[in-house]
Structure formats: C-alpha cells, structure tokens
Amino acid sequence: MIVPMKKVSIVILDSTRRESVKQLRHLGLVHLEELTGSGPVLQAFKEASQETDKALAILEEIKLKKNKVTQQSLVNVSSPREKAQEIIAANDRKKSLLDRIAQDTQELERLSNWGSVDPADFVTLASKGTFLYMYEIPESKYFSIDETVKTILVNRSNNLVRFLLLSETEVLERPAGLPPEAYAVPLPERSTSQIAADIGNAEAEVARIEAQLVKEKSFTDALVAYRESLASDIEFENVYSGMGRDIESDTADITAIAAEDEQPVPAESASPTALAWLTGYVPVDSFDAFKAACAENGWAYAATEPESEDPTPTKLKNNKLVSLIYPLTDFLGVNPGYTEFDISSWFLLFFCVFFAMIFGDAGYGALIALVGLFLACKSKGTRTVGALVTVLGLSTCVWGVLTCSWFGIPADKLPPVLVDLSFAPISSAKNPARYSQNQMEFCFMLALVQLTVAHLKCIIANRKSLKCLGDIGALMQLWGMFYVVFNMVVDGTRFPLADTGNPIPIFGGAIVLPSITPLVCITVLGIGFVLSFIFSNYEGSVGKSVLESCKNIISVLLGVVNVFSDTVSYIRLWAVGLAGAAISNTVNTMAGPMLGKMLFFILGVILLVFGHGLNMVLNLLSVVVHGVRLNTLEFSQHLGMTWSGTKYDPFRERA
C-alpha cells in the first residue's frame, strides 16, 4: 500500500536554526521539499567534494598488476582534503611532464638529422663575426643556389640537403640568390643534448609520480568515507542555508570555526525573535512521533493534506513477501506516483511467472534457487536480494516441472517420475504435437488475466464516478479482443469470427467455448468501445466527455488497436522460452557425442557448462527486456500509471 502523507510546515527560531536542523536530521521522518542553499560554507563543502571525486577518479584509473592488491591504510588520513589535493597536484604535474616530454621529443625528431645542435655555439660564432643559419632544400635544387650565397654542406638524406648559410654580417632578409624551395630551420631554445637530458629527467619524475600514486591507492577507502561525510555535510548545509527566513541575507551573521572541517560556519541571526521555516512531508504512521519531536524541541508546525500539484513523495509499505520486489524496482528506478496504484504484489506475482516462462527449465531454476540461498545466507545486505532470487528460481522450477524441461534433455531420456509430474497440455513429454501452441495460447490467457486485474483496479478506484463506465468499456474491449487475437494470431480456422455451430476448444481442449462465442465477443467489443468513447474522459459532464473523445478520435480508434497489440505482446514469453529451449537442446546435441569418449569427456563438460551458462545469461537479459516490460509498460498503461513518483527519502543521518 501507499502510505498516506501529511504536508507539514515547520517554524523555528532562527537563533536555534543549526541545532534544530541537527535534531530534524536525527529525527529522520520529514521528506523535505527541494531546497536551494547558498553561502561560503556550502560552496566550500561542494569544492571539497569535487576535489575528492577527482582524486578518486585518478586513483581508479591506476591499474595494478594481476594478483597485486593494495592494502588499504588502517590509519585515517589526518586531512582527507589535503590528501585529495596532493593526488590532484601530483597527477597535474604528471600531465605537465608528459606534455613537455612530447614537445621535447618532437623537437629532437625535428633536429635528428642535424646531429648535435647547440644554439650557444651559433651565438659564440656570431660574436666573432661569423653568422651561420640552418637550411634545408630538395636535393635537386641545391645546385641552383647562386654562387654569391656562401653555404656549407652538412649532409644528404631522404632527397633533402641540409646546409649552413654562411655570412660575415647578420642576415636580416632572405638572400636574393637563395631558391624559394630552401626553408630555414629554426634553432632550438636549448641544445639537443640538454633536451635529451631533460626528457630523461622528466621520464624519471613521471615514474616517481606514478609510484607515488600507486601508494596513494591505499587511501581510497578513506577518501570514499570522506566523500560520504561531505555528502552528508552538503545535504545539511543545503537545508540549513536554504530555509526560509525573516531576513533576506546573512550579512548580520558572524563567523565561527567548525573544528572537524576547519570551514567557516555562519552563526545564527543575532535577532532573538527572527524565525525560519521549511516544508516537507511526513507519513501518517509516523505523525505522532513527529508531533512529539516538535513539542520536545519547541517547534511550531502546521499539517495539511497534500494537494494534487504538490511533489508528494511515495512511501510503500507491504508485508515481507511482497517487499521482495523492492530490490528490483529500486534497481530499475521506478516508483509509483503518490496518487497512483501500488502494484508491488501484482508486480512480484506476474514477474515470477514471466521469469519462469523465459528461463523455462527446472534445472536452471534449481541452480538459480541455490544462488539465491547462497546470497540470502552470505550477509545481511544481500538477504532480500537472495530471497527474491530464490523465489524466482523456485518459480522457474515449477514451470520446468510442468513443461517437463530439464537442461534441455529429451523427454524419452528423463526418468518416468519427472514425465509423470508434468502437466499434459503444456508438457513436451505428454503432448509433443501441441504443447508449443498450447503454451502460446497460455500466454494470451495470461495477458487476459493481468490486464483484467488492471482494469478492475481502475473500476474500483472510479466506482463513485461515471468514469468507471469508461473503465468497464475498456475491460469489455479487452475481453472481446481476446478472441480476435486467437483468430488472427493462433488459428483462424479453429477460432472463426462466425458461428459455425461447432464448439471451440482452447488450450488443447482443456477449455471448450460455445459456438456462439465469436458473436458474443464482437458484440462485447463494440459495446465496450461505445462505453469507453462516452465515459473515458468523464469529469462531471457526459457531453464534455463525448466532445473530448471526438476531438481525439484518432487516439480513441488507436486505443482499440493498442488493446490488440498489448495482448499479442505477451507472446514474447513463449518465443523467448522456445529460443532458450532450442539453445539448450543444441548444446546437448553438440556435447553428447563427446561424453561417450574418455579423450573428449573434459571438453564435452566444458562445452556443456559454457553453453548452458551462456544460455542463462541470455535468458537473464531477456527477463530484463521482456519480463520487466510487460509489468512496467503493458500492465501499467492499462492502469494509467506513469511511474513518475518520487521515493520517500526523509532528511536523516546517513550511515
């Protein structure tokens, strides 16, 4: 169930603001409306958090050798922020050195064909009246240099000639006798030998920094703990500085020093009568505790029922069995709105069925159940997840037993007792000719049941309004379309749209419908469409409801198509389960001959483990794609749910 909420406004003395916020956090009951704080303290905490995130990202990028584990420091870091800054500074220094190495390496490559070059030698010669300039020119153009230009040949390679331009005076302009193909080679800022030495020194320093960063990985846990502490501080300061106040600014605040963080903390207003306030939501089942806390701390409060436009959070409360679905919904990040339905129990029930049909194998189910039991017994943190996995595994076992599916082993090679336990209409052993088609029909019957539940919940919710007639019409469309689906998807001959006078068997003859069924279903479909057209938009006026349907006539007509497509969508359970069974059978067929020969026995076992393991992984992905979709899309659409809710997350002390 969705726990009802009270919208509360809390008023406190501004002089006790910091202590009151601490007590409110300790109480841990109020889900606060979004606040936007400001101030130097909050900014300092955010900057520290960003620095810590950056430092942890740097440490995360450091890859250790295999089998090498960094022992985490058992001693707390004296100043985590300083440690984070040291890591960032070291990494920045490393990047700077790598950039310098790249530049120097490029400079050496540019001068590699010139040998050792020292700009100081050129300066010395120039002071004695001999000016030299470095040039390169294509080999074919070298001999076209005018005789008035004095040159000294250095070397030839790669069709280039390197030469020195010799002059007794400083050359300020390009000599006229020098071909345009000749281009000047700039002198380096340092000698090539110095550049090479600098590269070596930089590489040595980079190696030292990398070794230092490897050692710093021992402080990863300490920095993570510091980041979590900062998150709590940021949350606190955001509430503290974001509260409504009598004064518009904190210019009257004085500055105190928080010893644990060495950050400036604004003190409360000097005015003893100034007020501060905030707004939030408290679950009805915790409201008495909230009132007691207000009386104990001297807070004034006002409580009202939430309005439809309020961002009211959703708190779900169910028994331990239904609560098993919470790890999945939390992982998916889906939460019903405050005014929507809590479908946790139905979600769990149908998800177990979908999971079982997709995996479809009792052997797989047994393995999954064993994994779930291991997780449930491993630690307290994985107990709920383990229980959910166990339930899913047992559900798969039940479906596998009913269909006589055991690791894809053919029915004629299974013990007779396993064959006897299977359910004839869907058993591959008892009904090999029609079990697959019967499973397909079962998928449509499952769709009818789940979507009927959705419309019944809507009818009950709107029972005091004529809008419930629109919901009844939608339900009638679903039931009428159910037979149309059988006609168009399963078998048009066995499920005709006219009265042939012959009974109509479904599910291998387990269910027999009268011959008049087609006419009844089409009539029900038509009546349902009319009711839905008239009342689906009812908000107090039938005329306005009809007018709204006329405005959206295309959407209304497509709604009938959506009923068909949503029902057909459940066939994915049969298709994915059939594909998984085919993969299991293929793996067994490939590995079977190997198991009879000692030489290939181990190879056969490896193939079996790998093949079935891969099949289970693919089935798991199919569950996420298909099993979850049928609950969060098809089922939810018929309920009118958008999963736009905000999870109840009270302002509280974090672990």
Side-chain angles (χ1 to χ4, degrees):
M1 61 171 287
I2 295 178
V3 179
M5 290 281 174
K6 288 285 188 181
K7 183 177 182 180
V8 297
S9 296
I10 307 170
V11 181
I12 61 175
L13 288 173
D14 190 65
S15 58
T16 64
R17 183 160 49 108
R18 181 167 291 276
E19 185 60 32
S20 295
V21 174
K22 289 182 180 179
Q23 292 299 324
L24 188 65
R25 181 172 67 175
H26 179 70
L27 179 63
L29 292 178
V30 184
H31 178 105
L32 298 176
E33 287 190 345
E34 185 175 356
L35 295 171
T36 303
S38 61
V41 180
L42 180 60
Q43 185 62 31
F45 283 138
K46 288 182 177 179
E47 290 175 357
S49 180
Q50 291 171 357
E51 290 173 348
T52 307
D53 287 339
K54 187 175 181 180
L56 286 169
I58 292 169
L59 297 180
E60 182 67 25
E61 290 178 356
I62 298 174
K63 304 301 180 183
L64 301 177
K65 295 180 180 179
K66 289 184 178 180
N67 301 325
K68 183 177 181 181
V69 180
T70 301
Q71 184 68 35
Q72 292 297 305
S73 174
L74 300 179
V75 181
N76 291 330
V77 186
S78 59
S79 178
R81 186 172 185 181
E82 288 183 5
K83 176 59 66 177
Q85 291 171 341
E86 289 176 9
I87 293 171
I88 294 171
N91 191 67
D92 289 344
R93 173 63 177 163
K94 174 186 171 182
K95 289 182 177 179
S96 176
L97 289 170
L98 291 174
D99 289 341
R100 186 188 301 175
I101 290 172
Q103 294 172 2
D104 288 348
T105 301
Q106 187 176 4
E107 186 73 350
L108 280 183
E109 290 176 353
R110 182 176 71 86
L111 301 169
S112 59
N113 292 316
W114 285 89
S116 179
V117 179
D118 189 347
D121 294 340
F122 287 75
V123 174
T124 301
L125 290 172
S127 65
K128 296 179 180 181
T130 302
F131 295 87
L132 295 175
Y133 302 91
M134 300 166 58
Y135 276 86
E136 291 182 353
I137 190 172
E139 189 171 4
S140 60
K141 298 292 183 179
Y142 177 69
F143 295 102
S144 63
I145 299 175
D146 194 277
E147 294 181 356
T148 60
V149 179
K150 296 180 181 181
T151 63
I152 300 174
L153 178 64
V154 176
N155 61 44
R156 292 187 178 93
S157 66
N158 300 326
N159 295 322
L160 284 177
V161 173
R162 294 164 193 85
F163 65 92
L164 295 174
L165 176 66
L166 176 62
S167 176
E168 295 178 355
T169 60
E170 185 177 3
V171 178
L172 300 177
E173 295 182 358
R174 185 183 181 88
L178 199 63
E181 290 82 4
Y183 55 92
V185 178
L187 285 172
E189 295 180 355
R190 295 162 288 154
S191 66
T192 52
S193 59
Q194 183 61 48
I195 294 174
D198 289 345
I199 291 175
N201 293 334
E203 289 176 342
E205 189 172 356
V206 167
R208 181 189 63 78
I209 292 174
E210 289 178 343
Q212 175 192 346
L213 291 176
V214 169
K215 292 180 181 179
E216 301 291 9
K217 282 184 74 72
S218 63
F219 296 105
T220 299
D221 289 352
L223 289 175
V224 169
Y226 178 57
R227 180 175 61 183
E228 293 173 353
S229 174
L230 284 172
S232 178
D233 292 336
I234 290 171
E235 183 183 36
F236 181 90
E237 284 299 327
N238 191 61
V239 173
Y240 172 76
S241 60
M243 294 174 65
R245 303 178 64 189
D246 280 343
I247 54 178
E248 296 183 356
S249 66
D250 290 334
T251 54
D253 288 354
I254 62 176
T255 300
I257 298 296
E260 67 270 18
D261 298 304
E262 298 184 358
Q263 299 293 341
V265 179
E268 280 67 29
S269 172
S271 173
T273 59
L275 299 176
W277 58 88
L278 48 74
T279 303
Y281 302 87
V282 177
V284 170
D285 56 8
S286 303
F287 195 68
D288 290 340
F290 169 74
K291 289 194 296 183
C294 289
E296 181 180 349
N297 292 282
W299 303 334
Y301 75 90
T304 60
E305 296 297 327
E307 301 291 338
S308 58
E309 64 273 8
D310 288 330
T312 312
T314 305
K315 179 183 179 182
L316 301 178
K317 184 177 181 181
N318 289 290
N319 57 47
K320 290 184 178 181
L321 177 60
V322 176
S323 299
L324 293 179
I325 198 63
Y326 291 166
L328 176 63
T329 54
D330 290 343
F331 171 74
L332 297 172
V334 293
N335 206 64
Y338 181 67
T339 58
E340 294 181 344
F341 297 103
D342 175 19
I343 60 169
S344 299
S345 56
W346 295 108
F347 196 120
L348 177 63
L349 173 62
F350 286 108
F351 183 73
C352 287
V353 176
F354 300 156
F355 187 98
M357 293 180 67
I358 288 173
F359 272 83
D361 192 287
Y364 289 177
L367 294 178
I368 294 171
L370 290 175
V371 172
L373 290 174
F374 172 77
L375 292 175
C377 299
K378 183 179 180 182
S379 66
K380 206 170 185 179
T382 60
R383 190 168 296 168
T384 304
V385 176
L388 174 61
V389 174
T390 302
V391 171
L392 294 174
L394 294 176
S395 302
T396 306
C397 282
V398 172
W399 179 259
V401 169
L402 294 177
T403 58
C404 199
S405 300
W406 297 85
F407 291 113
I409 300 174
D412 57 353
K413 296 182 180 179
L414 290 172
V417 64
L418 298 181
V419 175
D420 294 338
L421 288 174
S422 62
F423 181 53
I426 57 175
S427 171
S428 59
K430 293 181 178 179
N431 195 356
R434 291 190 48 83
Y435 81 94
S436 181
Q437 190 170 30
N438 288 343
Q439 289 183 15
M440 183 196 304
E441 295 176 10
F442 178 79
C443 290
F444 295 139
M445 295 167 67
L446 187 62
L448 181 66
V449 172
Q450 187 177 28
L451 299 183
T452 296
V453 169
H455 290 292
L456 288 176
K457 291 180 73 69
C458 292
I459 292 170
I460 294 172
N462 296 317
R463 62 187 180 278
K464 297 181 180 180
S465 168
L466 288 178
K467 192 172 183 177
C468 73
L469 294 177
D471 296 321
I472 293 173
L475 179 61
M476 294 175 70
Q477 288 185 73
L478 172 67
W479 277 80
M481 190 63 72
F482 174 70
Y483 184 84
V484 176
V485 169
F486 272 72
N487 171 266
M488 300 184 69
V489 178
V490 180
D491 190 338
T493 303
R494 284 202 301 124
F495 303 100
L497 292 179
D499 185 356
T500 61
N502 299 318
I504 302 172
I506 296 181
F507 203 48
I511 302 174
V512 179
L513 302 177
S515 63
I516 200 175
T517 298
L519 299 179
V520 172
C521 289
I522 293 175
T523 302
V524 168
L525 178 61
I527 296 174
F529 175 79
V530 173
L531 288 175
S532 181
F533 185 87
I534 297 174
F535 296 103
S536 61
N537 298 302
Y538 181 81
E539 293 294 343
S541 171
V542 175
K544 290 182 179 179
S545 177
V546 173
L547 181 61
E548 190 66 26
S549 295
C550 292
K551 290 180 181 179
N552 301 289
I553 186 63
I554 302 299
S555 299
V556 173
L557 294 175
L558 288 177
V560 181
V561 179
N562 287 338
V563 175
F564 176 84
S565 63
D566 288 347
T567 305
V568 173
S569 184
Y570 283 72
I571 201 174
R572 67 183 68 236
L573 299 172
W574 165 77
V576 175
L578 189 64
I583 293 175
S584 296
N585 184 264
T586 301
V587 171
N588 293 341
T589 302
M590 294 172 61
M594 299 182 185
L595 300 178
K597 301 177 182 179
M598 184 60 66
L599 184 63
F600 296 103
F601 181 80
I602 297 178
L603 184 61
V605 171
I606 294 174
L607 179 59
L608 284 174
V609 173
F610 174 78
H612 286 288
L614 179 61
N615 193 24
M616 293 183 70
V617 171
L618 294 175
N619 286 336
L620 183 61
L621 294 175
S622 298
V623 167
V624 175
V625 174
H626 304 295
V628 170
R629 172 202 164 101
L630 292 175
N631 274 309
T632 57
L633 188 60
E634 278 82 358
F635 183 45
S636 299
Q637 280 184 344
H638 286 255
L639 283 164
M641 291 182 62
T642 60
W643 296 101
S644 58
T646 301
K647 187 177 181 179
Y648 170 68
D649 184 19
F651 179 53
R652 64 186 187 276
E653 294 175 343
R654 309 290 177 178

